[in-house]
C-alpha cells in the first residue's frame, strides 16, 4: 500500500515542480518583454524631446548665430539599447536644454519670443512624460529584480542566467536633495 501511494505521489510532485519551473520561467520571459516595451516607450519620449530640442535650437540659431559651441554639442543619439545608454542619452539631452536656457538668458528677445516660450512649455510637458516613462521602466525592473532574489524563483533565475538589472538613474540627485545653494532672494 505504501509503495502504491509513493508511486502516485512521486509523479504528482514531479509534475508540480515542473509546472512551477515552467510558470516561473515564463514569468521571467514576460518581464523581459514588459521591460523592453517600457524602454521603447522611453525611447519615444526621448525622441519627442529630441525633436523639441532641435526646434529650440533652430529658434536660438536665429538669435545667436555666433554661439556655435552650444549647437555643435547636441547629441544625435535619441535612444539607447541598454540602461547605461539610456542614462547617457537623458543626461546629454538635459545638458543641451540647460545650455539653451542659458543662451536664452543672454538674449532677452529670445527669452520673450512666443515661439521659444511655446517650445519651453513643450519641453516641460515632455520632461513630465519622460519622468513618467522612467518610473515605469524602473518599476518593471524592480518587479523583475524582486523575483530574481526571491526563493524559490531565484533558482529558476539562476538556471536562466538572470542577474539583477540596473535601474535608470537620476543625475545630480545629491544636489537636488540639498537646499544649501538655493537662492532665497526675492
Amino acid at each position: 500500500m505504501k509503495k502504491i501511494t509513493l508511486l502516485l505521489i512521486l509523479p504528482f510532485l514531479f509534475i508540480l515542480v515542473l509546472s512551477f519551473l515552467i510558470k516561473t520561467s515564463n514569468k521571467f520571459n514576460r518581464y523581459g518583454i514588459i521591460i523592453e516595451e517600457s524602454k521603447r516607450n522611453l525611447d519615444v519620449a526621448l525622441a519627442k524631446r529630441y525633436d523639441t530640442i532641435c526646434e529650440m535650437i533652430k529658434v536660438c540659431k536665429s538669435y545667436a548665430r555666433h554661439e556655435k559651441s552650444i549647437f555643435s554639442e547636441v547629441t544625435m543619439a535619441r535612444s539607447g539599447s541598454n540602461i547605461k545608454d539610456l542614462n547617457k542619452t537623458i543626461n546629454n539631452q538635459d545638458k543641451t536644454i540647460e545650455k539653451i536656457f542659458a543662451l536664452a538668458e543672454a538674449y532677452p528677445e529670445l527669452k520673450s519670443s512666443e515661439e521659444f516660450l511655446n517650445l519651453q512649455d513643450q519641453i516641460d510637458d515632455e520632461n513630465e512624460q519622460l519622468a513618467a516613462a522612467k518610473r515605469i521602466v524602473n518599476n518593471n525592473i524592480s518587479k523583475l529584480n524582486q523575483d530574481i532574489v526571491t526563493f524559490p524563483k531565484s533558482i529558476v533565475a539562476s538556471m536562466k542566467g538572470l542577474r539583477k538589472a540596473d535601474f535608470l538613474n537620476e543625475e545630480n540627485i545629491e544636489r537636488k536633495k540639498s537646499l544649501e545653494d538655493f537662492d532665497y532672494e526675492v
Side-chain angles (χ1 to χ4, degrees):
M1 184 70 168
K2 287 183 181 183
K3 201 174 192 180
I4 294 175
T5 307
L6 187 63
L7 287 175
L8 291 174
I9 292 175
L10 285 178
F12 177 74
L13 285 176
F14 177 76
I15 291 171
L16 191 65
V17 169
L18 184 63
S19 66
F20 168 77
L21 292 173
I22 291 170
K23 181 180 175 185
T24 304
S25 178
N26 287 338
K27 187 174 187 178
F28 285 130
N29 292 341
R30 284 191 305 273
Y31 278 142
I33 292 168
I34 290 168
I35 290 171
E36 194 60 35
E37 177 189 0
S38 61
K39 284 169 54 179
R40 292 304 129 228
N41 290 337
L42 181 62
D43 286 344
V44 169
L46 285 170
K48 188 175 174 185
R49 188 177 185 222
Y50 173 86
D51 292 341
T52 303
I53 291 170
C54 289
E55 287 302 310
M56 289 182 92
I57 289 173
K58 287 177 189 175
V59 171
C60 290
K61 280 183 178 181
S62 68
Y63 283 89
R65 298 246 180 245
H66 61 281
E67 300 283 348
K68 299 225 187 267
S69 64
I70 291 174
F71 309 125
S72 63
E73 294 176 10
V74 175
T75 179
M76 290 299 171
R78 293 195 299 188
S79 63
S81 58
N82 58 42
I83 296 297
K84 185 178 178 180
D85 291 341
L86 285 170
N87 280 323
K88 186 177 179 181
T89 300
I90 292 167
N91 193 29
N92 287 339
Q93 284 188 358
D94 288 344
K95 287 178 182 176
T96 301
I97 291 169
E98 287 174 15
K99 289 177 182 180
I100 290 171
F101 289 159
L103 179 66
E105 291 294 325
Y107 292 89
E109 63 275 5
L110 169 61
K111 192 175 177 183
S112 64
S113 159
E114 186 176 330
E115 187 176 4
F116 187 80
L117 292 173
N118 288 339
L119 289 168
Q120 197 171 2
D121 288 341
Q122 211 172 324
I123 282 287
D124 289 341
D125 291 342
E126 289 165 6
N127 284 342
E128 289 178 28
Q129 292 172 9
L130 182 62
K134 286 169 67 174
R135 282 190 302 273
I136 291 169
V137 171
N138 281 340
N139 183 50
N140 290 330
I141 290 171
S142 176
K143 288 177 182 177
L144 171 67
N145 287 346
Q146 289 173 37
D147 275 353
I148 286 175
V149 300
T150 304
F151 183 80
K153 293 176 185 175
S154 59
I155 295 170
V156 178
S158 66
M159 288 170 47
K160 291 181 69 80
L162 296 175
R163 301 281 180 258
K164 284 177 43 177
D166 293 331
F167 290 98
L168 288 168
N169 60 22
E170 180 64 36
E171 293 295 318
N172 304 318
I173 194 70
E174 290 306 315
R175 181 179 57 91
K176 291 178 180 180
K177 288 180 183 178
S178 172
L179 295 176
E180 289 177 16
D181 297 330
F182 192 74
D183 183 7
Y184 292 97
E185 299 275 331
V186 178

